Amino acid sequence: KTKTMSKQTQSDIRRIAKEIGEMVVAKNVAYGDSAIDPVRVFSKADPVEQIKVRIDDKLSRFMRGSDYPGDNDIDDLMGYLILLKIAIERHGE
């Protein structure tokens, strides 16, 4: 039996993916591409490891209920995962 997905669900997936993509681009412009091409003042970790640390920090705050006003943890996590995928493609795992 073939499973189907509603047109509404397909539309919602595309809309959310576009919104997250636009957010990641806007933040990356604002932060000077720091996730993929960090300045490396203190840390010498590669971009893949640095993004993983940011994901761990976000998950830790989420699990402890330590939200910051204006943060959207779900959107931020999706954004970091997109950046992680890009970093892995560019720099390897």
Side-chain angles (χ1 to χ4, degrees):
K1 184 176 177 182
T2 303
K3 297 194 181 222
T4 60
M5 182 186 325
S6 74
K7 295 289 184 186
Q8 182 63 50
T9 299
Q10 291 178 38
S11 176
D12 288 344
I13 290 169
R14 287 185 178 99
R15 177 182 52 80
I16 295 295
K18 183 178 178 186
E19 288 173 6
I20 297 301
E22 289 172 358
M23 177 202 72
V24 172
V25 168
K27 283 189 172 188
N28 226 31
V29 167
Y31 298 136
D33 206 14
S34 65
I36 302 297
D37 188 19
V39 175
R40 288 182 170 62
V41 174
F42 292 105
S43 174
K44 302 301 179 203
D46 64 83
V48 171
E49 189 61 26
Q50 288 187 1
I51 294 169
K52 287 179 178 179
V53 169
R54 291 177 187 186
I55 291 169
D56 281 348
D57 288 344
K58 181 57 79 170
L59 289 170
S60 176
R61 288 192 302 267
F62 181 76
M63 294 300 295
R64 293 182 177 151
S66 304
D67 293 337
Y68 290 100
D71 271 4
N72 185 322
D73 292 327
I74 293 171
D75 288 359
D76 287 347
L77 282 170
M78 289 191 295
Y80 282 134
L81 290 169
I82 289 169
L83 291 170
L84 179 61
K85 185 169 177 67
I86 292 167
I88 288 170
E89 286 177 358
R90 291 186 186 176
H91 303 281
E93 174 68 300

